[in-house]
Amino acid sequence: MTRSRPSDSASPERVGLWLVGARGAISTCVAHGLSGLRQGLLDSTGLVTARGPLAELPLLDCGQLVLGGWDVCRRPLSQSASELADMRVLSGPLVAAAAGDLAAFEQRLRAGILDPSDGEPADLDPQAASTSRLTPRQKVARLLADLNQFQRDSGLARVVVVHVASTEIARAPAADWSDLASFERALDDGRPQPASVLYAYAAISGGFSFVNFTPNVGSAVPALQELARSRGVAHCGNDGKTGETLVKTALAPLFVARNLKVLAWQGYNMLGNRDGEVLADPLHRAGKLRSKSDALRAILEDPGLHHQVAIDFVPSLRDWKTAWDFVHFEGFLGAQMSLQFTWQGSDSALAAPLVIDLVRLTELAQRRGEAGVMEHTASFFKSPIAGGSHDFHQQFRTLIEYAQRRG
Amino acid sequence: MTRSRPSDSASPERVGLWLVGARGAISTCVAHGLSGLRQGLLDSTGLVTARGPLAELPLLDCGQLVLGGWDVCRRPLSQSASELADMRVLSGPLVAAAAGDLAAFEQRLRAGILDPSDGEPADLDPQAASTSRLTPRQKVARLLADLNQFQRDSGLARVVVVHVASTEIARAPAADWSDLASFERALDDGRPQPASVLYAYAAISGGFSFVNFTPNVGSAVPALQELARSRGVAHCGNDGKTGETLVKTALAPLFVARNLKVLAWQGYNMLGNRDGEVLADPLHRAGKLRSKSDALRAILEDPGLHHQVAIDFVPSLRDWKTAWDFVHFEGFLGAQMSLQFTWQGSDSALAAPLVIDLVRLTELAQRRGEAGVMEHTASFFKSPIAGGSHDFHQQFRTLIEYAQRRG
Amino acid sequence: MTRSRPSDSASPERVGLWLVGARGAISTCVAHGLSGLRQGLLDSTGLVTARGPLAELPLLDCGQLVLGGWDVCRRPLSQSASELADMRVLSGPLVAAAAGDLAAFEQRLRAGILDPSDGEPADLDPQAASTSRLTPRQKVARLLADLNQFQRDSGLARVVVVHVASTEIARAPAADWSDLASFERALDDGRPQPASVLYAYAAISGGFSFVNFTPNVGSAVPALQELARSRGVAHCGNDGKTGETLVKTALAPLFVARNLKVLAWQGYNMLGNRDGEVLADPLHRAGKLRSKSDALRAILEDPGLHHQVAIDFVPSLRDWKTAWDFVHFEGFLGAQMSLQFTWQGSDSALAAPLVIDLVRLTELAQRRGEAGVMEHTASFFKSPIAGGSHDFHQQFRTLIEYAQRRG
Amino acid sequence: MTRSRPSDSASPERVGLWLVGARGAISTCVAHGLSGLRQGLLDSTGLVTARGPLAELPLLDCGQLVLGGWDVCRRPLSQSASELADMRVLSGPLVAAAAGDLAAFEQRLRAGILDPSDGEPADLDPQAASTSRLTPRQKVARLLADLNQFQRDSGLARVVVVHVASTEIARAPAADWSDLASFERALDDGRPQPASVLYAYAAISGGFSFVNFTPNVGSAVPALQELARSRGVAHCGNDGKTGETLVKTALAPLFVARNLKVLAWQGYNMLGNRDGEVLADPLHRAGKLRSKSDALRAILEDPGLHHQVAIDFVPSLRDWKTAWDFVHFEGFLGAQMSLQFTWQGSDSALAAPLVIDLVRLTELAQRRGEAGVMEHTASFFKSPIAGGSHDFHQQFRTLIEYAQRRG
């Protein structure tokens, strides 16, 4: 992160990072992290792009980033920050030092759009609420206007839109999404769409690259992939791989390599933040559970694997998610054995650096004209849009090879 | 394992597997496993060479193997078998079905040689005890005679010697071992040598390939590597990677990839079998501890890592070793997190299939004239002779690439 | 168990143990355990009544017990035994040595009655199936005839009926159960009743003491408690406390004593036997979950406690249930801490000795004329009929005091 | 804590709490805790005496306490406080609010005496260092003068001395300690004594009650017990039971009650604070290990129990000690099972409230003239001076009965 490059010395370009869910815990951590890095209060621990061959890529410096974003609630960023300090994710000194940067960020926030499945949170932004009355086309126009204004007002060379808002209800593939023409027709006909799809459509159609850190549909459907290719836009997702699934996809290849037969893999997840609260609802939970369990079945090449994943809302844990996995397996001679692990980490502190990494990688891809799905980012996601292996080590090797090839 | 190959149909060659520590738990499991596989009572779960591109290599069939070996004690194989059945590693029906094969194996056992650091076990074979009076050259001559007789009597095309006996005391590198000439001089001068080194020397000098599954010195020293190259002998080792270290070297790369700072990695190992009893002695434990901790420091590229590994003898666990690891690490924003895992498995049922895999791979290398250290077997060992990465996934990729290149 | 008492020397009375669910895993373990104890193949490990002041009570000797029972399926006992041997709960030698006793037990088995909520298991006994057509009064008459015949044919001084069959669906308290007169009327009117209630009614009305080891309603309702008092019958239940709840009720008092505030207690249970299969159905699971969670709320005196209990069916575990509990708590200065535990045990080997203990205690109470609910057995149950503390240590002290007072 | 009592209304007595190791983490937490309680910033969570019948005892109010103490180092209390805030044991707002109380406490600190086994810490107080040249009698005189001055200057009705300094090396029982006369003679002869013994002697001989929260010898020897009885002084110890041993002594009685045979109990403790640093030395560790393992052998009534306890220094954990225990046990039918637990808590936040509880109980005993060992405090200690059961629940019942009898 600290390498000086000749091109930086003159007058580096400014790049926009536009966050969907900008008042939430991940966004607040991203903003504090960038501020802390710029002020030399934090080191690059946790940033994938700060190490090894990735650090040799001509990625943007954090100092080039300008933050803005959408949210559907009005909770002040200072409140999010003090909650995160209280739950011991952010340190008091960092919150104090970043206050100025946070205030500037807050000036650039706009009201987002509601998803049809959203409830009515207590702190709902009335402007966001009022979008329920708009047609999909009207929503998109409004979102696009926000992005264009952000780029113009801040003098930005490029803008990366990153979706880190709450999990929407799980949705089956829709005929509207099968190709771009169908989707455009659906918009013309005013058929309601998930918020994440409209955010992605607005960004990509405006030429802004798009990162989906949530399990929501976003840009993963054929229609939007087609749009991204045609508009020359780089995009990636879905669902940041930060905790239990990360460990799972790092461990499961071991069982394959050693030809050990996994008899059952049980995963129990507990978390207490807003994401946990939303996931307490079975409909919202469904999408997350699917991406968590598909990965394992794919790696173990066992579609009939006995594999259950649970997510429970445990408010007292707040941001500190805790997961316990139990793996029952059989070895040679029919001997039955087990492996269990407990993972305890801060959800937001795990996610925030990956968001920064993805912005850096996406901006580079966009700058270099690498349009379409960024296959080399698969290791960041539970459900990589481009598919491929779920084996974390294979995914990460793809990223390293990208860096070595393109560095 | 079950692929029929044209070359098999006529009259397949017979290949010898000569086990050092032939009356111990691993050897007993190897013998039962081979018998069970031949009789269709077991499937190939746990055998690395039975899956993926490795299964496409022209490896020997288990039916081709003839077993023999050395031991320094007189415990009957039937006693080892019934102990393993009692501790629920071997099933009763398998023990019954394999009794004939075991009896034939027992016929081919010979007295081994004592290591200078060996105590006097209750069931010590007097013939083995009497070897203490022999010079190193006399010991080697005797060992070589056993191997030649085994090959001749059983009509074997090739013999692979596999060292699975107890852990010797840890030894510092000796000047005698620095090159072959020095070692030959040391033998001529009658300077005592570790038993594992004499086993390796006897095998390799006789043209027999050698696998060292223990942390003992064996063939890892420059003198014997030189001998192996000059005699055209394939060899590999040291110290089978079967449990906690296996999981550790599969998980540690995750922390590197995600740039998470490991603050401390504590590993507690408990086991209750004869190996555990020997390791209860600090001098014997030292070698094992070193190979267990060096691997982690190498992967994390942190020579100053706070890393402690303990091995405790817990007799009631018998063969069921249990390990608990605690990883304390720091992520972005200075957030401190942890991962802990508990591994519960049968030591012998984990080791036995790897012995069979290594015999198959070694015999192939020997047959093909691939002399010297078998670098592609690194994933099987805690301290691969050829060095290279300790990252399990990198090591395993090397093996897969070997198979794809040579298949 | 082995104390010789003068009264034994002459000709000890024979006592019947009549098991409901007699072909299941617990019954099979009870039968093997009694046979093994009698033959000196097992020691008294796991038997509560074999230690301390309880061993001083004039309890029956295991040799006095004659086994019989009901089941609704036809699975041979030998199959249950070989399954338990295969899953390594029973040893092969014990199964062989107990074969004669098991055959005698099997001769005394009769068809039980179906519960209205029962499905149609593959191995359903047609005689049991045919009971669906009977009125409650007819069922009771049939059950009572079986008990009387058992007592008469085997020359038994007393019979203890122990319910160890599968979990029925959870049932809300019914008006029919509020007093004996209402219940008799319900029987007269032919209103369907849970099988467990009819088993309890048949036993108690016939003067046979009754132990309910399941979460089913059984004799816990006011009507049957009234019947037991009026008929002078000793009874106890519900739901044997064998695993996770046992540990929970032993640990929770620690938090109370130290005034530590439990913020959340999450309990995840996995099991793979027939009980687990039945509990995979949410309706059947409900009763079990309630008795598991009520205990904790009572001990912690916190009705609003965040406490979730899950039970998952993991077939590969078979009888080896595994539970993980996570306790999040707050100490002085607002410091948040945690305790987690993993419990791995054989469901049947944990339950079987408690069944024998309860038979011994119940028979003594009956012999001494202690009619009604046996409050001193609370430590054996997740939902003691008599209520009182759920604190295991308090419950156990009550038992010790009973022994010291009555010894 | 907040009950007003008639006697308090007028002008409550002031009581001194004199801490040995007054600049350490526990003392710093005690001082912050008392300040926070007085200011209404903390509730009584973690205080044993604030709940149940104990809260009905006429114990002192926290507002009555005046703090002072000894230390051998010069580290400012503000540094200890900011370290504890940094390691997230104390909250920033509490540290700020307690600053005035801490400054007043610091004014009342005096130099302590070195133990012969102490090294030379970097921040050693030269005045403490100079005590090495004094005879035991001179040391005692100096300590006593400090206590008398504290009482006089602060106008204190009573003073309780609490030893919370570092662990000394383990010491075998000495002949000097066998009775008071021998000990007085040893002092006259100038034979060196452990610092903890001199602290205890000074306090008790001066009529001040004494609490030993460490595994050091303190007042546990016959000579000092005799002194306490003759001087009418209440005292208690040794070694606060705050973490792994607490859980162990709460769980072990379960195995006894259920007649489960513990085959092995392994306990692994990790901690990173100054106590951990001192315990990294085997001589210092020995005392702690003994009190941790004796308790278990006593409860399980199995002197030959396979039981190992390890304490490892893991600096990154700082105050957050983490322990993993593995219990291997056998149940009925020879079935082998296991229980494992992980305990994660703040060492100081667990200890501090117990110090306050013990001061309250000791002051009451002293006020009431209950001289000698306070047997009712056994539940607070790993090695209660008065001996008796190590079973936490039995110990705690003794305390409850004391309260009910004396309330």
Side-chain angles (χ1 to χ4, degrees), chain D residues 174-378:
Chain D
D176 286 350
W177 305 337
S178 56
D179 55 61
L180 185 53
S182 304
F183 186 68
E184 297 282 3
R185 240 183 342 264
L187 290 183
D188 292 340
D189 295 351
R191 282 206 287 284
Q193 301 295 335
S196 66
V197 173
L198 296 182
Y199 285 128
Y201 178 82
I204 297 172
S205 66
F208 303 105
S209 39
F210 185 79
V211 176
N212 182 7
F213 207 76
T214 75
N216 302 340
V217 176
S219 66
V221 294
L224 296 204
Q225 293 194 40
E226 190 181 335
L227 179 66
R229 282 191 304 271
S230 74
R231 291 293 327 248
V233 166
H235 68 121
C236 59
N238 286 6
D239 207 2
K241 184 151 83 171
T242 59
E244 185 227 9
T245 308
L246 178 66
V247 178
K248 213 150 65 173
T249 59
L251 270 176
L254 176 64
F255 293 92
V256 178
R258 281 291 170 92
N259 200 10
L260 299 165
K261 192 189 295 171
V262 173
L263 303 170
W265 193 309
Q266 300 288 110
Y268 299 100
N269 295 268
M270 305 179 297
L271 79 172
N273 54 16
R274 277 162 201 264
D275 195 32
E277 206 172 346
V278 168
L279 293 171
D281 174 64
L283 286 176
H284 286 84
R285 195 161 52 208
K288 195 98 179 184
L289 291 177
R290 196 167 51 216
S291 62
K292 285 175 89 74
S293 63
D294 285 356
L296 193 64
R297 292 209 169 82
I299 296 174
L300 296 177
E301 300 168 19
D302 180 359
L305 174 70
H306 183 90
H307 176 39
Q308 295 173 285
V309 184
I311 304 181
D312 285 319
F313 180 48
V314 179
S316 64
L317 287 174
R318 307 182 75 181
D319 198 62
W320 291 91
K321 66 182 174 185
T322 298
W324 181 73
D325 272 44
F326 177 81
V327 189
H328 193 212
F329 65 96
E330 185 182 313
F332 194 53
L333 300 164
Q336 296 199 355
M337 325 196 194
S338 72
L339 173 66
Q340 54 187 288
F341 69 81
T342 301
W343 168 267
Q344 295 171 294
S346 157
D347 202 20
S348 306
L350 286 162
L354 305 184
V355 167
I356 298 173
D357 287 324
L358 286 166
V359 168
R360 299 182 85 200
L361 291 166
T362 304
E363 191 274 344
L364 177 65
Q366 190 69 47
R367 189 171 2 124
R368 284 172 161 178
E370 298 163 16
V373 180
M374 298 164 59
E375 302 194 10
H376 56 288
T377 62

Side-chain angles (χ1 to χ4, degrees), chain A residues 85 87-92 320 340 344, chain D residues 85 87-92 320 340 344:
Chain A
M87 63 181 82
R88 302 178 159 181
V89 174
L90 296 177
S91 76
W320 291 91
Q340 54 186 288
Q344 295 171 294
Chain D
M87 65 182 80
R88 302 180 159 178
V89 174
L90 295 176
S91 75
W320 291 91
Q340 54 187 288
Q344 295 171 294

Side-chain angles (χ1 to χ4, degrees), chain C residues 116-127:
Chain C
S117 75
D118 281 344
E120 285 258 338
D123 49 7
L124 181 64
D125 184 333
Q127 258 195 287

